[in-house]
Amino acid sequence: MPAPQLRARRLGAGALAAAVAALAFAAPADAAALRMMFQGDPYEIDAISAVAKAYEAANPGTTIELIHTPHDSYNEKIGAAVSAGNLPDILELDAPFLSNYVWSGFLQPIDGLIDPKLRADMTPSNVSQGTYPPDGKLYATALIDSTVVLYASKKQLESLNIRIPTSVDDAWTGEEFEKVLETLSTAPGVKWPIDLFRGYGTKTEWIPYAYEPLLVSAGCDLIDRTTWKAGGTLDSDACVKTASMMADWVKKGWVVPQSAGTNQFYAEGRPAALALGGHWVYAEAVKAMGDDLIALPLPKLGDKGASPNGTWIFAISKDASDPEEAGKFLSFMIENPEFRAAYREHSAFPGLNSFAAESPLYAAGGPLAVAFEQAAKTAVPRPPHPAYPAITLAAQTAFTDIFDGADPKEELTKAAQEIDADIDDNDGYPPFGGN
């Protein structure tokens, strides 16, 4: 069908002047139209929507189009946007995928685009999650970061004469932790000694995020971070031993099964005694448990402690229509008091020093002080490498199969081979290579 014909309408001099003036008011010279893709819980959607409206009100003519995408399908949607050549100006991304996005040419550095005061306020862990190792430049930022701790009932541990760690340096050893699980397995009212949050499934980053620190603490990793080879590391004796130990917990019935959901620690009756859970669990658990809820550091399975970091962070795409305006909006959002209040109310883990000072949960003596201490002392980012999509897929598949009864050595060897094959297929992902 041919395009419809439009008839021009001649304007008189006065009408033309009025039209020009109206256009000038509606679209000032510094106006911009930005598109931002993000994911998040309902409170995050509300907070981001409110701050976008506030920014538009403060910058007449500028529009912020928000593209909310469900968490479980987010990375697929990003891939579709890339294939269509239609990446938004600003995109939220999971921190361990940063290196893949930068290596693929999707992002640009933000050091000169965000407020210098915001940059100086970022915690070292936050800087780490937004930095691309080969060039050392910052490509993403956020208000928050993340960690995982052990949640427990103080009354329950005291009633069983189980030692309660008071700091990261005082964490349970691997041997001590297994004895704790064994003790809890026969404690009154306990159905499962621990919730490893298997209910999150395999469409999230939970398995490589929460379980990798246990491997690192035991003396191994998902991949060697010097040679960037998984073979000999992921399937090493230390990793096989750790995976076998965790599988044994499942086999003994000590771990909440995936089918039971993700709140058995603080559900009515508290069928799970401990929970290896993210900082975000606190907000819901404290409603049910009150002052009985305590947060403990992750156990040291080997000679050192290790904990995860990294969360969803905001970056500016390489082809952004107005990078300076995008950086201005990001700074406005992260520094906005109402935006910060929404995250503070949901026990968000601080990625800015100023936000930590505003968050009594994480201050010295606060209920989650050990979480902030842990991040400072033991945080280990997931492998900052372009092969991370292959690494996470292999790790998730391997641990799921191992927990379901497959042989740990065979599954970890298979996973290592898949990771190394991806790296070889991409010629080592230069400039990473083997350096």
Side-chain angles (χ1 to χ4, degrees), residues 170-310:
D170 191 36
W172 286 327
T173 65
E175 182 180 356
E176 192 176 11
F177 183 52
E178 282 222 278
K179 288 181 178 178
V180 168
L181 294 178
E182 186 174 6
T183 298
L184 290 168
S185 70
T186 59
V190 174
K191 187 173 183 179
W192 301 287
I194 190 167
D195 192 348
L196 296 179
F197 284 86
R198 295 192 67 197
Y200 286 141
T202 57
K203 290 188 176 181
T204 70
E205 284 301 292
W206 181 249
I207 289 175
Y209 170 71
Y211 300 171
E212 183 188 36
L214 300 179
L215 302 181
V216 172
S217 178
C220 58
D221 205 340
L222 297 177
I223 191 169
D224 186 293
R225 302 189 186 216
T226 300
T227 64
W228 295 113
K229 294 292 183 183
T233 297
L234 180 54
D235 56 354
S236 65
D237 290 345
C239 273
V240 171
K241 180 180 178 181
T242 303
S244 299
M245 176 183 67
M246 296 176 71
D248 192 47
W249 299 345
V250 175
K251 186 177 181 180
K252 289 178 177 178
W254 290 359
V255 176
V256 175
Q258 185 170 340
S259 60
T262 59
N263 70 334
Q264 294 305 302
F265 170 68
Y266 55 88
E268 185 176 355
R270 293 203 51 256
L274 301 175
L276 184 119
H279 63 273
W280 56 89
V281 172
Y282 179 86
E284 290 298 324
V286 75
K287 293 177 184 177
M289 298 175 63
D291 293 341
D292 188 37
L293 175 66
I294 53 174
L296 310 176
L298 295 184
K300 291 189 289 187
L301 299 187
D303 296 332
K304 63 181 180 180
S307 61
N309 83 317

Side-chain angles (χ1 to χ4, degrees), residues 30 34 55 58-59 62 64 90 112-115 118 316 322-335:
D30 59 351
L34 299 177
Y55 188 81
N59 297 272
T62 295
I64 309 293
I90 301 169
L113 302 176
I114 61 172
D115 185 345
L118 170 61
I316 298 174
D322 192 332
E324 289 77 16
E325 193 70 26
K328 182 180 174 184
F329 172 68
L330 276 185
S331 301
F332 179 91
M333 179 177 72
I334 294 171
E335 294 170 343

Side-chain angles (χ1 to χ4, degrees), residues 344-365:
R344 187 169 58 251
E345 290 169 5
H346 286 78
S347 69
F349 191 82
L352 301 181
N353 291 308
S354 62
F355 188 49
E358 299 167 4
S359 305
L361 280 178
Y362 298 96

Side-chain angles (χ1 to χ4, degrees), residues 368-387:
L368 289 177
V370 71
F372 203 57
E373 177 199 5
Q374 183 175 257
K377 292 182 176 180
T378 69
V380 178
R382 281 158 283 174
H385 191 277

Side-chain angles (χ1 to χ4, degrees), residues 26-99:
D30 59 351
L34 299 177
R35 297 166 59 240
M36 185 173 89
M37 184 172 176
F38 71 105
Q39 57 81 56
D41 291 333
Y43 83 89
E44 294 175 286
I45 298 172
D46 292 344
I48 291 173
S49 298
V51 81
K53 291 179 181 177
Y55 188 81
E56 289 175 339
N59 297 272
T62 295
T63 59
I64 309 293
E65 178 187 349
L66 299 178
I67 308 166
H68 176 256
T69 303
H71 178 93
D72 287 353
S73 61
Y74 192 86
N75 288 327
E76 289 85 348
K77 294 295 185 181
I78 287 289
V82 169
S83 298
N86 192 34
L87 270 179
D89 301 277
I90 301 169
L91 63 153
E92 193 178 21
L93 59 100
D94 203 359
F97 288 87
L98 178 83
S99 287

